[in-house]
Amino acid sequence: MNRLTLAAALLVSCTLPSRAVEIIAHRGFSAVAPENTLAAFRMAWEKGADACENDIYLTADQQIVVLHDKDTKRTAGVSMDVAKSSSADLLKMDVGAWKGKKWAGELLPTLQQSLDTMPRGKQRFFIEIKCGPEIVP
């Protein structure tokens, strides 16, 4: 960053209200905990995040689960297409072990479970719908 850009950024930041900048935890505190898990969301809140972003898909039995990809291969090691799978099968999946032994046993959460981690106050979630409009109702 050159000096002029840095000076402009500092000038703008000095003129903004103190809460103009917020910390948004992408998929929870995914730098440390496995993404889109209850552990990642809880850690983000504990570390003072203003909001968490999560990703959602609709299952074959019309339940909403929190997962970035359309299948479970990357985070669970077993490929199951979320739209073609039941929530009962998906919610048993370990989506933490890939991040390390410490996280083994972290299960794929529902949207409601992730929302339930949010402290009362001004924190919030940014929910990214990864499937189509069928999830909206």
Side-chain angles (χ1 to χ4, degrees):
M1 179 180 299
N2 66 39
R3 289 181 186 198
L4 183 57
T5 305
L6 180 58
L10 288 172
L11 178 63
V12 168
S13 69
C14 291
T15 62
L16 294 172
S18 64
R19 295 298 296 168
V21 176
E22 295 184 321
I23 305 297
I24 313 300
H26 186 242
R27 302 180 198 164
F29 199 153
S30 59
V32 176
E35 65 183 59
N36 279 320
T37 61
L38 299 180
F41 299 131
R42 287 184 186 118
M43 185 175 286
W45 302 130
E46 289 168 9
K47 298 295 182 182
D50 297 299
C52 284
E53 177 268 351
N54 66 6
D55 307 287
I56 60 171
Y57 275 97
L58 193 63
T59 65
D61 56 346
Q62 305 298 296
Q63 300 301 307
I64 301 173
V65 295
V66 180
L67 186 70
H68 179 268
D69 304 336
K70 67 180 182 175
D71 66 51
T72 59
K73 179 69 175 166
R74 183 174 60 85
T75 56
V78 177
S79 186
M80 290 179 68
D81 184 320
V82 175
K84 296 177 182 176
S85 302
S86 73
S87 58
D89 290 337
L90 291 165
L91 296 175
K92 295 177 195 171
M93 302 200 78
D94 182 333
V95 292
W98 69 271
K99 191 80 168 180
K101 290 179 184 178
K102 174 181 180 178
W103 305 106
E106 277 296 316
L107 302 177
L108 188 136
T110 65
L111 175 59
Q112 187 59 56
Q113 288 171 321
S114 68
L115 295 175
D116 288 344
T117 68
M118 189 171 40
R120 296 199 184 269
K122 296 186 182 204
Q123 289 86 354
R124 61 197 181 284
F125 269 95
F126 289 98
I127 300 169
E128 184 173 338
I129 298 171
K130 302 302 269 186
C131 56
E134 68 277 4
I135 199 170
V136 175

